[in-house]
Amino acid sequence: MTTIRLTNSLTRRKEVFVPLDPANVRMYVCGPTVYDRAHLGNARPVVVFDTLFRLLRHVHGADHVTYVRNITDVDDKINARAAETGRPIRAITDETIRWFHEDTAALGALPPTHEPRATDHIPGMIDLIAALLARGHAYEAAGHVLFRVRSFGEYGALSGRSPDDMIAGARVEVAPWKEDPLDFVLWKPSDPSLPGWDSPWGRGRPGWHIECSAMARALLGESFDIHGGGLDLLFPHHENEIAQSRCAHPEGRFARVWLHNEMLLVEGRKMSKSLGNFVTVRDLLDRGVPGEVVRLVLLGTHYRSPTDWTDRKRAEAETTLRRWRAAASGLAPGAPDPAVVAALADDLNTPAAIAALHALHGAGNGPALLASAALLGLLTPELGGWEEAAPADSTLLATLRERLIAARQDARRTRDFAEVDRLKAALLAAGVEVRMGRDDVELRPGPALDEDALRRIAPGRRPEHAP
């Protein structure tokens, strides 16, 4: 059997993965908070842990892997969206869940074995909180129930920091009724305008951290194999999950292996709405970027390193996939190549696996290419068909590039650069980066490319090239 090695965030070492029960390998991954579209940063853990799910199924058998990815459908962000729009909370969460399923399917992600909604597990959360109170790990204050962080001697093991080194207020909620600034909310009161459930502590709703502990225990038990998520969740969310789960059920170990994917940049910068580079999965799909292309770009960087979404990577991924699909067209898949399996088994080394796929393509081994790519969720029939069409923007950009080259040549002759400036401004407004060297012009479509705006650039007779 293939030996899988994974870098455990808890021990900070790459370790041989030995499941608690080879007949039921269990993995939990933090899923979406459903109030808006999934952005590219949300897509990365979806693709990373889907690839791990595929590897585990390949090694242990599809019927012997249980993958749980939760849905957070009770949250203050959802409440705020409902208040802002006047829509019922359930309508917002149902719609957003549908969007999430559509977008993740477009990325080639398999459905998890279980996808629990937090609102379906409120009784389990109440039971877990009651157990923490009974063991002295929680207390009531000002209508809230809070976890007593310093009651758990191993708090900080995951993040590598002791409670004394943690800065109150950096990523914790400070309140005068806390015994300690690090203590976190397990249950909080709800007024009539907010969703709430009856509990021994009054009508209220759960804190964020408690839901994952309750759902993981319900579906995977008190000890399971792998817990995954983005690096931004390591502290405080995952640290708090460990503390409350271990204290409520000390006979269990909760998750044995912790995996965290690094963050995503867009064209070298942190993605944010203020920078104008905030990109959702749906934005890309609506602009004609195939989900398979998005997936290959995300897999092109090791999950433990930051990845940068760039248009150059998008174009290269599209070209690669067109070549691979053409080479494998009409062929039946063979067996996965050992080099691809070995790369994935080595801490999910997707860049090495992709290099092995390039080698298979170069060797003309289409059947092995098909089977091996499927382990990465690529070249599947479900994601195919897009490659039959011409690249969405190549012809249009080529035409506009020629117009700009001709306009610049005219301007050099006449010393009138008005048309050059007009074309550059229009291209920039349409989301195209214009790079003008001494002898060449390069147009690079950015993440906010607007093809309709490109088509609206004032038509007219293209200036003739100057002699």
Side-chain angles (χ1 to χ4, degrees), residues 398-439:
T399 299
L400 291 170
R401 175 177 173 274
E402 289 299 313
R403 286 186 59 190
L404 185 55
I405 290 172
R408 186 170 70 165
Q409 289 177 340
D410 248 8
R412 284 172 172 171
R413 187 182 67 236
T414 64
R415 312 307 301 171
D416 180 0
F417 285 84
E419 175 65 5
V420 174
D421 292 341
R422 186 190 69 78
L423 283 173
K424 283 178 61 179
L427 287 163
L428 289 170
V432 178
E433 180 184 355
V434 180
R435 295 187 176 187
M436 301 185 73
R438 179 178 179 84
D439 300 312

Side-chain angles (χ1 to χ4, degrees), residues 196-216:
W197 291 261
D198 291 333
S199 80
W201 320 287
R203 182 180 181 275
R205 60 197 191 280
W208 175 34
H209 312 297
I210 197 70
E211 65 176 72
C212 288
S213 289
M215 288 186 279

Side-chain angles (χ1 to χ4, degrees), residues 28-200:
Y28 185 98
V29 175
C30 290
T33 300
V34 286
Y35 69 99
D36 207 348
R37 288 280 189 182
H39 57 68
L40 266 183
N42 303 140
R44 192 177 193 198
V46 169
V47 171
V48 165
F49 291 104
D50 176 72
T51 306
L52 179 57
F53 183 36
R54 292 171 182 271
L55 175 65
L56 293 171
R57 286 160 55 99
H58 174 74
V59 173
H60 295 279
D63 295 333
H64 302 297
V65 181
T66 301
Y67 174 21
V68 177
R69 185 182 64 211
N70 74 293
I71 289 176
T72 297
D73 61 345
V74 53
D75 185 87
D76 288 344
K77 291 179 181 178
I78 301 172
N79 301 338
R81 183 57 55 88
E84 173 190 332
T85 62
R87 299 180 65 201
I89 286 175
R90 185 74 183 197
I92 292 172
T93 57
D94 284 350
E95 178 182 62
T96 309
I97 291 169
R98 175 174 57 80
W99 289 345
F100 181 76
H101 288 161
E102 291 170 353
D103 293 348
T104 55
L107 297 177
L110 298 171
T113 314
H114 302 287
E115 196 173 43
R117 294 175 66 138
T119 52
D120 292 335
H121 287 262
I122 301 295
M125 298 178 207
I126 291 174
D127 289 345
L128 198 155
I129 295 169
L132 290 170
L133 282 164
R135 293 178 179 272
H137 295 292
Y139 59 95
E140 298 181 57
H144 295 67
V145 181
L146 296 108
F147 183 84
R148 188 175 279 120
V149 164
R150 294 183 188 272
S151 72
F152 180 53
E154 296 179 44
Y155 193 84
L158 182 64
S159 57
R161 295 179 289 175
S162 70
D164 289 335
D165 294 333
M166 297 176 182
I167 301 173
R171 292 198 64 183
V172 296
E173 181 184 359
V174 177
W177 30 265
K178 288 185 175 184
E179 292 181 358
D180 187 296
L182 287 177
D183 293 349
F184 58 88
V185 172
L186 300 170
W187 189 264
K188 52 190 171 182
S190 292
D191 63 37
S193 70
L194 295 172
W197 291 261
D198 291 333
S199 80

